[in-house]
């Protein structure tokens, strides 16, 4: 491979989302491990072409199937947001924790009337340990400022509290698995129970689906008030477009602006 080809391959990997090194040595997961000198010879390794069938891929990646379902997280005794953050810091069952730089729990004013919920931390959030601090977060802050809200405000009326469904960055920003999501959900539900927002705003489909049980696309759901049932309390919930989507599709910002106005109206009326 020439240096140019190597640079091109690296660029392609970064574009595909593999933008971080998580091990010292490369691992070719499509080739079964060779027997060590001391172990008895095994059946010949299958040709790479056969490894691409779904059956063989899952056999070659047992770790994915062995993931726990997340039923283990006992959040029942957690009473404050700092309890929840401390419990997350000590929670080792979620595999995302191993590849993330740090825990990314929440930001904003714990007294805020509005809780915003995103999907998962990205690269900047992983470095700073706070949700929505990268480009999406900067756009989000501007959207909030346009309706008189800020995560920095000490005033309950004009502040927001921000968190995510997932609390550690998935490597390369890949979609979290169902098992990883299930592991984080009890902590999110407890956060809502403890923070007691008057209103929830879901940024994108992931939190909207998780909290409402609905499955329709975010473009259908957005802008329509619905509710989340958390510990017996029904909380008004507004799904809207994720700021990362708005950065890719700036012409959709007008829809997000309508949603911000709907939130402003709701806050003014209650
Ligand atoms: N996208 C999210 O959904 N959450 C973040 O914290 C950052 C980007």
């Amino acid at each position: 491979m020439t240096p140019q080809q190597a640079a091109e391959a690296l660029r392609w990997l970064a574009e595909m989302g593999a933008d971080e090194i998580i091990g010292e040595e490369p691992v070719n997961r499509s080739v079964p491990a060779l027997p060590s000198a001391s172990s008895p010879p095994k059946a010949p390794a299958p040709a790479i072409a056969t490894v691409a069938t779904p059956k063989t891929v899952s056999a070659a990646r047992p770790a994915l199937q062995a993931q726990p379902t997340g039923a283990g997280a006992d959040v029942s005794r957690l009473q404050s947001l700092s309890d929840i953050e401390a419990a997350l810091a000590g929670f080792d069952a979620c595999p995302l924790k191993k590849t993330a730089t740090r825990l990314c729990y929440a930001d904003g004013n714990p007294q805020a009337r509005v809780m915003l919920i995103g999907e998962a931390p990205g690269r900047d959030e992983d470095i700073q340990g706070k949700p929505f601090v990268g480009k999406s977060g900067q756009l989000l802050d501007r959207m909030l400022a346009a309706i008189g809200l800020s995560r920095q405000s000490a005033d309950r009326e004009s502040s927001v509290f921000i968190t995510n469904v997932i609390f550690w960055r998935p490597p390369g920003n890949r979609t979290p698995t169902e098992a990883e999501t299930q592991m984080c959900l009890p902590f999110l539900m407890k956060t809502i129970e403890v923070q007691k927002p008057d209103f929830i705003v879901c940024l994108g489909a992931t939190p909207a689906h998780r909290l409402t049980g609905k499955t329709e696309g975010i473009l259908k759901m957005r802008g329509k008030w619905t509710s989340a049932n958390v510990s017996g309390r029904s909380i008004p919930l507004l799904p809207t477009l994720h700021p990362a989507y708005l950065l890719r599709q700036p012409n959709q910002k007008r829809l997000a602006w309508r949603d911000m106005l709907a939130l402003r109206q709701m806050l003014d009326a209650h």
Side-chain angles (χ1 to χ4, degrees):
M1 194 184 261
T2 66
Q4 284 80 4
Q5 285 169 328
E8 191 50 44
L10 210 53
R11 224 181 343 265
W12 181 82
L13 282 171
E15 274 169 20
M16 293 298 110
D19 57 0
E20 259 178 47
I21 296 166
I22 58 171
E24 290 299 317
E25 297 293 331
V27 180
N28 185 348
R29 296 191 193 279
S30 63
V31 178
L34 291 173
S36 70
S38 57
S39 63
K42 295 209 178 102
I48 289 183
T50 66
V51 175
T53 65
K55 201 167 159 224
T56 326
V57 167
S58 60
R61 301 169 70 190
L64 276 184
Q65 293 186 329
Q67 282 174 358
T69 61
D74 177 11
V75 297
S76 60
R77 268 169 289 164
L78 306 177
Q79 292 184 346
S80 65
L81 296 174
S82 40
D83 282 353
I84 302 169
E85 185 165 16
L88 275 168
F91 183 67
D92 294 327
C94 184
L96 294 176
K97 186 174 183 179
K98 296 191 182 70
T99 49
T101 309
R102 65 185 80 241
L103 170 66
C104 174
Y105 176 47
D107 195 20
N109 183 345
Q111 313 300 326
R113 296 185 74 198
V114 179
M115 179 185 284
L116 300 165
I117 305 175
E119 182 178 314
R123 189 187 189 130
D124 296 304
E125 291 75 21
D126 181 57
I127 292 167
Q128 294 190 39
K130 280 187 190 171
F132 285 100
V133 291
K135 285 209 172 88
S136 305
Q138 287 156 21
L139 174 59
L140 180 63
D141 285 339
R142 289 199 298 276
M143 289 160 63
L144 293 169
I147 55 163
L149 299 178
S150 157
R151 68 173 98 190
Q152 265 105 33
S153 170
D155 165 35
R156 176 179 138 76
E157 294 294 327
S158 59
S159 58
V160 294
F161 185 79
I162 310 180
T163 189
N164 281 309
V165 174
I166 301 285
F167 301 106
W168 294 273
R169 182 196 185 199
N173 298 345
R174 68 157 166 76
T175 305
T177 65
E178 181 59 27
E180 289 158 355
T181 307
Q182 288 299 334
M183 275 179 233
C184 291
L185 271 178
F187 295 98
L188 174 64
M189 300 314 271
K190 194 70 184 181
T191 299
I192 299 172
E193 185 188 319
V194 168
Q195 202 265 324
K196 297 189 183 62
D198 291 344
F199 304 103
I200 293 175
V201 176
C202 287
L203 303 165
T206 301
H209 290 165
R210 293 290 163 177
L211 290 176
T212 65
K214 298 183 184 183
T215 53
E216 53 192 339
I218 189 66
L219 284 167
K220 280 230 167 97
M221 287 182 86
R222 62 142 285 277
K224 295 181 196 140
W225 282 98
T226 175
S227 62
N229 203 303
V230 182
S231 307
R233 200 180 144 231
S234 175
I235 307 171
L237 179 152
L238 183 68
T240 189
L241 303 173
H242 193 288
Y245 170 77
L246 298 174
L247 288 171
R248 292 192 304 271
Q249 303 282 338
N251 57 331
Q252 300 287 54
K253 283 184 186 170
R254 65 200 165 85
L255 299 177
W257 174 235
R258 276 187 219 160
D259 301 345
M260 291 297 106
L261 291 179
L263 173 62
R264 183 68 264 166
Q265 265 179 9
M266 189 66 129
L267 285 165
D268 291 344
H270 295 85

